[in-house]
Amino acid sequence: MFKVLIAVDGSEHANHAIEAVAWLPRGPGGLEVALVNVSNPVYYGELPALAQEEVERARRERQERILEEAAQRARGLGLIVGGKHGTSGSVAEEIVGLARETSADQIAMGTRGLGAAGSLFLGSVALGVVHRSHVPVLLVK
Ligand code: ATP
Ligand code: MG
Ligand code: MG
């Protein structure tokens, strides 16, 4: 089984990455994908406990929505979705760490994401993953 970890942030670029993976040739062992989204850690500062819970709930809901939409898109393209992973922390490190833990054979992601402003060719998360990854990275425009 060839396992591809697709990093999703809800952007059109990440959707293109899902589509590109759906077009990958399938070997005899088949192809399975897992999805990962990483939230930025929330700094609560002086917020009262109740407000902290609210913020945390909103974060989890948003993350679950991104992952579920990506899963539906992937399944609609005939992909087998083996897992949905929501974590928080340093985004590129989390993605590469998860690829390692789940023995992914490849990571797929967009060249840009939600922060797609300016003229940079590659977003910071994409760059960070390419720097750190021990497996091939499929970068999709
Ligand atoms: P920057 O974030 O540096 O302002 P950007 O948003 O345009 O620039 P990246 O964040 O590097 O570019 O996005 C490139 C790809 O990385 C996205 O298409 C997506 O596949 C993945 N990605 C970005 N952010 C996340 C995240 N929080 N969780 C999972 N995958 C992500
Ligand atoms: Mg980004
Ligand atoms: Mg960003």
Side-chain angles (χ1 to χ4, degrees):
M1 181 74 78
F2 190 75
K3 295 206 283 184
V4 182
L5 180 65
I6 311 177
V8 295
D9 63 351
S11 68
E12 272 306 304
H13 304 265
N15 289 343
H16 291 160
I18 297 170
E19 285 158 22
V21 171
W23 282 101
L24 286 178
R26 327 261 160 123
L31 175 74
E32 183 182 287
V33 304
L35 302 166
V36 57
N37 177 258
V38 186
S39 305
N40 292 315
V42 181
Y43 295 103
Y44 295 111
E46 303 285 299
L47 277 185
L50 219 68
Q52 291 187 18
E53 278 171 32
E54 267 307 295
V55 173
E56 176 56 22
R57 198 163 56 83
R59 184 195 69 75
R60 269 205 309 272
E61 276 176 15
R62 178 182 148 74
Q63 182 164 63
E64 185 48 40
R65 179 161 27 87
I66 289 170
L67 286 168
E68 188 46 40
E69 279 177 18
Q72 280 175 22
R73 182 176 301 269
R75 291 193 192 101
L77 292 166
L79 290 167
I80 295 163
V81 179
K84 290 189 295 176
H85 305 271
T87 70
S88 91
S90 175
V91 183
E93 281 174 33
E94 288 288 320
I95 292 168
V96 172
L98 191 71
R100 215 178 269 284
E101 283 164 31
T102 61
S103 306
D105 298 293
Q106 188 177 101
I107 297 170
M109 63 199 305
T111 53
R112 304 300 318 265
L114 283 179
S119 56
L120 283 181
F121 163 65
L122 212 55
S124 61
V125 174
L127 197 62
V129 169
V130 171
H131 264 297
R132 292 172 174 82
S133 180
H134 59 294
V135 292
V137 181
L138 177 62
L139 289 169
V140 182
K141 251 179 126 171

